[in-house]
Amino acid sequence: MTLDLFDNAQPEYSQEVLEEGAILLRGFARASAQTLVAAIESVSGQAAFRYMETPGGHTMSAAMTCCGELGWVTDRRGYRYTQNDPETGAPWPEMPRVFRELAVMAAEAAGFPGFAPDACLINRYRPGAKMGLHQDRDERDFSQPIVSVSLGLPLVFQFGGPRRSDRPLRVPLSHGDVIVWGGPVRRHYHGVLTLRRGAHPLTGDCRYNLTFRKAG
Ligand code: MD3
Ligand code: FE
């Protein structure tokens, strides 16, 4: 790890353990937020945000795009990781350096050194968008954590247990918050409640969420 990795770290952040293996780093991404949003714009200029269809035929209310060696897609055929954007046939855009550095630093700060993400899913929520309780289980290696970064408008995150019926904890997430999920909680159900209207100085009427994964 080189020193310049730390240039993107927010000096003022606080650490909160939601549950063993679920570490909330409040404000960790605040100092790099402007660079992160510019990088989101660069990625989405190459691989546009799109509303994907679920295998059940529903259209997701969050728009998505990806970067890195692998990208997550869903359509009528199912959920999977692909090397190419199905919309263009081109490889997913490279993972911006600021993305990778932030994810690696956050994982390290939470006790997961050596995180090597090969996929970043970018979710864009506009008012009215939500994500129901689900598990992330399309990745090959569950020993690696997932790092999630919230940017823009705040919302309420739902953190459940290993069964869909487990009552979820509600966690308000705001701009710059990062959560690292590793160990057994990596398989827990989670989702987000409907995004409320608002205006954020950096993102306007939306919230972005970045999730970094080791998928392959
Ligand atoms: C807990 N995204 O992209 S981030 C997803 O806010 C996703 O866009 C939500 O769930 C969002 O799959 C939630 C927090 C998160 C992400 C992955 C997890 C929590 C997680 C994986 C395992 C356990
Ligand atoms: Fe998820």
Side-chain angles (χ1 to χ4, degrees):
M1 163 137 18
T2 56
L3 262 184
D4 68 324
L5 224 56
F6 290 91
D7 291 350
N8 298 120
Q10 166 71 27
E12 296 294 323
Y13 75 92
S14 66
Q15 187 161 323
E16 189 179 318
V17 178
L18 299 176
E19 189 175 323
E20 192 178 331
I23 297 98
L24 170 54
L25 306 169
R26 285 227 182 260
F28 193 87
R30 215 172 286 142
S32 32
Q34 220 169 334
T35 319
L36 292 168
V37 170
I40 292 170
E41 283 160 5
S42 162
V43 167
S44 63
Q46 301 162 71
F49 280 106
R50 78 287 310 262
Y51 295 96
M52 295 191 207
E53 207 179 352
T54 66
H58 297 283
T59 300
M60 298 191 72
S61 61
M64 297 176 171
T65 187
C66 302
C67 62
E69 286 160 61
L70 294 168
W72 184 85
V73 300
T74 173
D75 58 20
R76 294 306 294 257
R77 287 156 52 206
Y79 307 130
R80 62 198 174 278
Y81 280 93
T82 64
Q83 291 181 304
N84 297 84
D85 177 352
E87 294 291 317
T88 62
W92 292 106
E94 261 190 68
M95 191 182 294
R97 182 183 152 96
V98 62
F99 276 27
R100 185 184 303 277
E101 289 183 351
L102 186 86
V104 170
M105 279 192 303
E108 166 128 27
F112 297 94
F115 182 43
D118 57 12
C120 175
L121 174 60
I122 309 173
N123 298 147
R124 186 191 66 198
Y125 296 82
R126 291 243 165 88
K130 61 182 177 353
M131 192 177 287
L133 283 176
H134 67 279
Q135 292 172 299
D136 288 17
R137 52 180 181 200
D138 302 317
E139 298 75 25
R140 199 164 283 158
D141 186 356
F142 286 91
S143 72
Q144 290 271 314
I146 286 186
V147 173
S148 68
V149 179
S150 294
L151 295 166
L153 293 180
L155 57 40
V156 177
F157 171 73
Q158 291 187 295
F159 177 41
R163 286 166 299 275
R164 187 183 291 278
S165 57
D166 293 327
R167 186 186 234 283
L169 183 73
R170 290 183 173 199
V171 185
L173 290 181
S174 54
H175 181 67
D177 290 348
V178 176
I179 314 185
V180 181
W181 315 88
V185 298
R186 170 71 182 71
R187 294 172 183 272
H188 285 196
Y189 278 87
H190 57 277
V192 303
L193 300 183
T194 307
L195 186 76
R196 299 286 153 202
R197 271 191 304 274
H200 189 277
L202 193 57
T203 66
D205 72 342
C206 76
R207 168 186 186 258
Y208 294 113
N209 180 264
L210 312 176
T211 47
F212 294 90
R213 302 119 186 273
K214 173 83 178 80

